[in-house]
Amino acid sequence: MCGFLSVEMEDNGNGNANQYKTSSFKSLLRGIKQAFDDGFDIGILPEGQINPFPEKGLQPVFPGAFTLARMSKRPIRMMGMYGLHKLWHVDGMNVTGRNVKVRAYPLFHKFESGDEFVESFTEVIGHFGAKGEDHPEWQDW
């Protein structure tokens, strides 16, 4: 079973920097707490949206996943997606490819700071998102 919790954003166009409506964070946090209370884990896109051009690198990565993990005393398990931008284009639903890979990495590291999380996510998931394969040194992050 799964569900979806969102943060409301300004409608500033796909592929542009996110502008969050901070008033929606309280309802998001309540939803996350309820999901945890019900025994669920949560997945977060630290880029805030699907990356339309992963071959150019990640969009800005936000440390909110680290903050939520620290507050809830839960581990971070990084996940990467490859090829999703070919199903979900910034210019609409013009499908140009159907080969999508999802990689769930094992729990291999406890992050000590938001900066460390952002750096690791950028290297490990950025590589997977651009190439569809593991970073050769992913276990060192």
Side-chain angles (χ1 to χ4, degrees):
M1 210 164 144
C2 67
F4 182 77
L5 300 169
S6 64
V7 177
E8 291 182 48
M9 292 189 282
E10 301 294 336
D11 185 11
N12 63 341
N14 294 330
N16 295 320
N18 293 321
Q19 295 176 345
Y20 296 103
K21 292 182 180 178
T22 54
S23 62
S24 72
F25 278 100
K26 283 184 182 179
S27 65
L28 172 71
L29 292 174
R30 279 193 301 274
I32 290 171
K33 183 181 181 321
Q34 185 63 53
F36 287 155
D37 290 348
D38 291 344
F40 290 95
D41 293 324
I42 61 167
I44 297 173
L45 296 174
E47 293 177 272
Q49 60 182 307
I50 293 171
N51 187 342
F53 308 106
E55 65 281 357
K56 295 180 181 179
L58 294 180
Q59 298 180 90
V61 175
F62 300 97
F66 171 79
T67 302
L68 286 171
R70 186 182 66 211
M71 289 171 50
S72 64
K73 297 180 172 72
R74 293 177 180 263
I76 293 176
R77 183 173 183 175
M78 294 194 297
M79 295 180 70
M81 294 181 277
Y82 171 79
L84 193 57
H85 65 292
K86 294 181 180 182
L87 288 174
W88 191 330
H89 287 268
V90 295
D91 61 351
M93 296 303 288
N94 180 23
V95 176
T96 59
R98 298 183 190 283
N99 294 326
V100 175
K101 294 181 183 179
V102 177
R103 170 72 158 101
Y105 288 85
L107 298 173
F108 64 92
H109 182 73
K110 182 179 180 202
F111 299 103
E112 299 297 326
S113 71
D115 289 341
E116 181 188 14
F117 164 73
V118 167
E119 179 184 354
S120 297
F121 188 90
T122 300
E123 289 297 322
V124 174
I125 303 304
H127 183 91
F128 184 84
K131 300 178 187 268
E133 60 189 39
D134 286 337
H135 187 290
E137 300 172 356
W138 71 267
Q139 291 176 320
D140 296 336
W141 291 94

